[in-house]
Amino acid sequence: MTSTSTLTMFFLTFFAIFSLVASAPAPSPRDVFSPPVLYPGNGTVWRIGHTYNVTWDLKGAPTQITNSIGMIVLVKNHLMIDLEHPLAKGFDIRVARHEITVPKVEPGHDYQILVFGDSGNTGAKFTITK
Ligand SMILES: *[C@@H]1O[C@H](CO)[C@@H](O)[C@H](O)[C@H]1NC(C)=O
Ligand SMILES: *[C@@H]1O[C@H](CO)[C@@H](O)[C@H](O)[C@H]1NC(C)=O
């Protein structure tokens, strides 16, 4: 690879990441809420097709949340899976749990849950089995 294409790759990657972050309108920092995931946590095992409550911590939540509409995305090896079809969306983030059904994915030990409010927080790595 030439150094030019390496540089191009770098900028494309950079802008791909940046546009994800920048596409949301910037709320005032005190109202921003990225819910920390409590469950699933380290040691959790989920079975494909079963239903679980994802839970998150509301302790750090500002009284006025800019965006109270949440979204839950499955992450594997630090990549978001099927962002077009999140595990859940359109629910109220101020309720500290939401039921999801584990989709048909490759069993693995490197899954994480990402809960979005204004921005996202990934939880601990957990396992999905058949
Ligand atoms: C997960 O839990 C195991 C067993 O309790 C522990 O050994 C390990 O350090 C934990 N990993 C993380 C990332 O907290
Ligand atoms: C999720 O939590 C709600 C409220 O506690 C409960 O009614 C429901 O049965 C739970 N769902 C699962 C799959 O545990």
Side-chain angles (χ1 to χ4, degrees):
M1 206 190 286
T2 69
S3 62
T4 313
S5 64
T6 308
L7 201 62
T8 307
M9 280 277 286
F10 172 79
F11 278 111
L12 283 177
T13 309
F14 181 81
F15 281 116
I17 294 165
F18 188 75
S19 63
L20 262 181
V21 176
S23 57
S28 71
R30 70 187 170 83
D31 295 341
V32 168
F33 182 46
S34 313
V37 179
L38 296 176
Y39 178 88
N42 182 17
T44 299
V45 178
W46 277 3
R47 303 193 92 85
I48 292 166
H50 288 225
T51 303
Y52 302 92
N53 273 313
V54 171
T55 65
W56 51 92
D57 195 353
L58 285 179
K59 261 187 245 126
T63 45
Q64 290 283 320
I65 297 178
T66 315
N67 171 25
S68 58
I69 306 300
M71 179 167 79
I72 300 174
V73 178
L74 189 61
V75 172
K76 183 178 169 61
N77 194 20
H78 303 292
L79 295 173
M80 291 188 274
I81 296 176
D82 202 1
L83 196 52
E84 300 285 300
H85 307 97
L87 296 184
K89 63 178 178 184
F91 55 87
D92 189 341
I93 202 92
R94 293 166 296 188
V95 177
R97 57 162 181 82
H98 195 80
E99 269 189 359
I100 61 91
T101 299
V102 183
K104 268 194 187 151
V105 289
E106 194 69 25
H109 299 290
D110 53 354
Y111 284 98
Q112 286 168 290
I113 285 292
L114 182 55
V115 177
F116 277 100
D118 296 298
S119 63
N121 258 335
T122 31
K125 286 194 176 154
F126 70 99
T127 299
I128 292 181
T129 68
K130 282 187 183 165

